[in-house]
């Protein structure tokens, strides 16, 4: 988890895979499901989409068997991210909306923000830019209230991309200046997959 926070996602995955392997030998699914979902989210960040799908599918099965509502919602949100990356937008929306519904029953603000972000990405991908901005603003409100600068910056980058598509280039450039400043201050190191997307804005 320390390596993850430092931006060394490959190193973090190595340790998490070892942890998951050890926990499987103990035959305690409650311990296995945590590293699985972290591995899945890191795989998404690294662009390893099919590996992420494998982790999320197992995590979803375990959380459902254990009756863990939050864990199930996490896996559903993750599957939405996988399907978004595959370009299967309709399926991605259904998974995210189902996860969002579970998060709402828990009043899980962060989970709702994660789902709104992916739903925003889906709407942006299919050209519904105004709807995408509405989702991103809901996400941004949570991170600003929490005082989470890095997640706020990631959401601002998504907003900037939509503004660029809408022709508001000057506003988009200003937002990206803010994003770059936050990343530099927080020493954020984007993985190669995200760096390519970031530079494309």
């Amino acid at each position: 988890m320390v390596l993850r926070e430092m931006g060394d996602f490959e190193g973090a995955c190595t340790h998490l895979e070892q942890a998951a392997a050890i926990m499987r030998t103990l035959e305690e699914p409650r311990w296995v499901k945590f590293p699985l979902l972290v591995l899945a989210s890191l795989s998404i960040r690294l662009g390893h989409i099919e590996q992420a799908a494998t982790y999320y599918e197992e995590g979803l099965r375990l959380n459902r068997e254990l009756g863990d509502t939050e864990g199930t919602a996490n896996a559903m949100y993750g599957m939405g991210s996988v399907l978004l990356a595959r370009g299967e937008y309709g399926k991605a929306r259904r998974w995210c909306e189902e996860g969002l519904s579970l998060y709402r029953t828990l009043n899980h603000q962060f989970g709702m923000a994660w789902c709104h972000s992916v739903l925003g990405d889906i709407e942006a991908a299919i050209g519904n830019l105004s709807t995408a901005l509405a989702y991103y603003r809901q996400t941004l409100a949570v991170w600003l209230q929490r005082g989470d600068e890095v997640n706020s910056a990631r959401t601002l980058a998504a907003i900037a991309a939509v503004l660029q598509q809408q022709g508001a280039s000057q506003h988009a450039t200003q937002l990206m200046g803010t994003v770059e400043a936050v990343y530099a201050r927080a020493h954020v190191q984007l993985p190669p997959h995200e760096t390519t997307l970031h530079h494309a804005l």
Side-chain angles (χ1 to χ4, degrees):
M1 300 306 290
V2 171
L3 290 174
R4 183 185 71 165
E5 293 304 310
M6 292 171 61
D8 182 1
F9 294 163
E10 294 284 4
C13 284
T14 297
H15 288 290
L16 286 162
E17 286 164 356
Q18 292 173 351
I22 292 169
M23 291 173 182
R24 281 194 179 94
T25 67
L26 302 176
E27 298 183 356
E28 178 45 75
R30 293 183 185 278
W31 297 348
V32 177
K33 67 190 180 81
F34 174 74
L36 275 180
L37 291 183
V38 181
L39 278 165
S41 67
L42 290 177
S43 295
I44 287 280
R45 298 285 306 272
L46 289 165
H48 303 160
I49 305 306
E50 296 313 312
Q51 183 63 69
T54 298
Y55 289 136
Y56 277 128
E57 286 166 359
E58 185 178 358
L60 180 62
R61 177 181 59 78
L62 289 174
N63 279 287
R64 278 175 164 166
E65 288 174 357
L66 292 166
D68 186 331
T69 302
E70 181 178 348
T72 299
N74 290 341
M76 287 177 171
Y77 149 75
M79 285 303 299
S81 299
V82 166
L83 291 161
L84 167 65
R86 288 176 176 169
E88 299 179 46
Y89 303 127
K91 290 181 181 179
R93 183 186 288 110
R94 287 194 292 275
W95 277 103
C96 275
E97 288 176 345
E98 193 168 350
L100 179 60
S101 178
L102 290 180
Y103 282 133
R104 282 178 176 147
T105 66
L106 301 170
N107 194 28
H108 194 306
Q109 295 297 311
F110 299 159
M112 287 188 278
W114 300 331
C115 286
H116 285 146
S117 181
V118 175
L119 287 167
D121 291 344
I122 293 166
E123 297 301 326
I126 62 178
N128 295 336
L129 302 183
S130 295
T131 305
L133 283 177
Y135 278 126
Y136 290 145
R137 285 172 180 143
Q138 290 181 77
T139 301
L140 183 61
V142 173
W143 302 136
L144 289 175
Q145 184 177 29
R146 185 189 183 193
D148 188 327
E149 284 195 331
V150 172
N151 274 317
S152 293
R154 292 186 71 187
T155 307
L156 285 175
I159 291 172
V162 171
L163 292 174
Q164 185 74 39
Q165 292 181 70
Q166 290 181 326
S169 299
Q170 184 175 356
H171 192 187
T173 300
Q174 290 172 343
L175 285 182
M176 286 309 298
T178 300
V179 171
E180 296 285 0
V182 170
Y183 283 176
R185 186 165 58 248
H187 305 290
V188 172
Q189 297 181 21
L190 297 176
H193 170 68
E194 289 188 6
T195 300
T196 300
L197 295 176
H198 186 72
H199 288 164
L201 296 178

